[in-house]
Amino acid sequence: MKKQNSFQKLMAVPGMASVLTAFAGVILLIIIFTIMNPNFASRNNLMSLTRSICPYLLVGIGQGIVCITGNIDLSIGSVLGMSAMISATLICNGVNPIVALMVDVIACLAVGVVNGVLVGKFKLPPFIGTLGTMTICRGLAEIVNGNYNTGDIGSDPMATAIRDIFYYGKIGVIYYGVIVALLIWFVFNYMMSYTRTGRHIYAIGSNVDAARLSGVDVFQTTTIAYLSSAFCSCIAGLIVMAASGMGSMQAGLSYEMYGVAAAVIGGISTLGGSGLMVGVIAGASVWAILQNGLTLANVPVAMRNIIIGVIVVACVLLDIMRRNGMLGGKKK
């Protein structure tokens, strides 16, 4: 009886059913791809898989927080690309790597502030506002090194340390990049679960007018959400840069979709006000497992995109149907 009550208590947590469904999907996919190709479950592939999840997890965290406010951030992929290019360009031009990373973070956070001002202050539709910053950031990623990809960031101790911290280094079988991504997840999960800022983010996503009347600073809260998204994209950009050892103008392309996929597959509603950050881990894992498993199965890239696109649309559709009471639940 105690176990049943504990389970019922767990399932009573808003959004927990979606999270458990996402994790069940992770387990199912692992089983399916292992049957299709035993190499999927090899140690080397699983280690590579955990490392590949990190950028998806980070953009999923950022996009998830913004989605909970009832908005969206289309600039995520371009901020990621801008981050990779700024950091690599500065390092390649002899700037101290620590200084380069600081400049990179400041530049990316500035984009978050701009998004917050456009959406939270001037009430610009988030699709239009972040579409504009997406285009601007992609342009900056292209011109920062004169419309060329950067060369190798080098092999001096500082550059090597950056590559190790964000991608290649590991403790035992756990890569440092995985630890970095999980630490960032823990910070934002704490913010969303236990702080007033987190409560305000959920409040404006549930009912922005009611939140404003309750004393919530909608502009400030929206800006914090977009700052969180920009920061996560910045770190994801550093991971992508560390992986290749250079800055690519194409880095971050389609990551807007990756972020939305990780969030919605993990149970975060695109309509705002609901979802748990733990679900983003499952959502990012599903995305990475699909990419990895379908690649090992020699599925063409076009078909992979179709399959993943269908899954994203299905998750959003199911959320809308659930909220409208079309799946037997209460209308929200």
Side-chain angles (χ1 to χ4, degrees), residues 1 24 81 86 90 118-119 142 169 180 208 226 251 264 267 297 301 309 327:
M1 181 64 69
I86 289 177
L90 291 175
L118 292 176
V119 177
E142 291 170 348
V180 169
V208 65
Y226 278 110
V264 300
V301 175
L327 297 178

Side-chain angles (χ1 to χ4, degrees), residues 14-298:
M16 185 56 69
S18 298
V19 170
L20 294 179
T21 300
F23 276 108
V26 170
I27 295 172
L28 180 61
L29 286 174
I30 291 174
I31 294 172
I32 290 174
F33 286 127
T34 300
I35 293 173
M36 292 175 63
N37 188 335
N39 289 329
F40 178 84
S42 68
R43 176 181 172 179
N44 287 340
N45 187 62
L46 290 179
M47 287 178 63
S48 176
L49 180 61
T50 58
R51 187 167 55 178
S52 68
I53 291 172
C54 296
Y56 302 142
L57 174 59
L58 289 168
V59 295
I61 293 168
Q63 191 70 268
I65 293 173
V66 173
C67 283
I68 290 173
T69 66
N71 298 306
I72 194 168
D73 188 356
L74 297 181
S75 68
I76 278 180
S78 295
V79 173
L80 188 159
M82 185 181 76
S83 170
M85 283 299 295
I86 289 177
S87 56
T89 299
L90 291 175
I91 293 173
C92 287
N93 281 279
V95 176
N96 182 288
I98 300 300
V99 175
L101 296 190
M102 292 176 61
V103 171
D104 187 29
V105 171
I106 292 171
C108 292
L109 291 180
V111 178
V113 172
V114 171
N115 283 334
V117 170
L118 292 176
V119 177
K121 184 71 173 180
F122 294 106
K123 305 299 186 293
L124 207 64
F127 185 90
I128 301 300
T130 61
L131 180 64
T133 52
M134 176 188 79
T135 307
I136 293 170
C137 290
R138 182 56 62 187
L140 290 173
E142 291 170 348
I143 69 172
V144 69
N145 194 47
N147 289 310
Y148 288 100
N149 296 334
T150 73
D152 192 283
I153 63 173
S155 57
D156 65 84
M158 290 294 291
T160 300
I162 288 174
R163 297 191 70 180
D164 285 342
I165 290 171
F166 289 104
Y167 197 76
Y168 289 102
K170 61 183 178 180
I171 302 176
V173 297
I174 303 177
Y175 285 101
Y176 290 142
V178 176
I179 296 174
V180 169
L182 288 177
L183 285 175
I184 291 173
W185 176 84
F186 274 115
V187 169
F188 284 109
N189 181 63
Y190 181 84
M191 181 187 82
M192 295 299 292
S193 301
Y194 302 106
T195 69
R196 183 174 63 177
T197 298
R199 291 192 294 272
H200 287 179
I201 287 173
Y202 279 103
I204 67 174
S206 297
N207 190 318
V208 65
D209 293 325
R212 185 180 289 107
L213 291 173
S214 299
V216 174
D217 189 328
V218 175
F219 166 50
Q220 182 186 73
T221 304
T222 301
T223 301
I224 290 173
Y226 278 110
L227 276 170
S228 302
S229 178
F231 176 77
C232 289
S233 298
C234 177
I235 303 302
L238 293 176
I239 290 176
V240 171
M241 183 273 290
S244 61
M246 60 176 285
S248 170
M249 294 186 295
Q250 305 304 310
L253 289 178
S254 297
Y255 267 75
E256 301 82 16
M257 180 180 177
Y258 298 169
V260 171
V264 300
I265 292 174
I268 291 178
S269 174
T270 56
L271 301 178
S274 68
L276 300 173
M277 296 309 296
V278 68
V280 179
I281 296 177
S285 299
V286 166
W287 183 268
I289 290 170
L290 279 171
Q291 293 278 24
N292 183 276
L294 292 173
T295 299
L296 289 177
N298 294 319

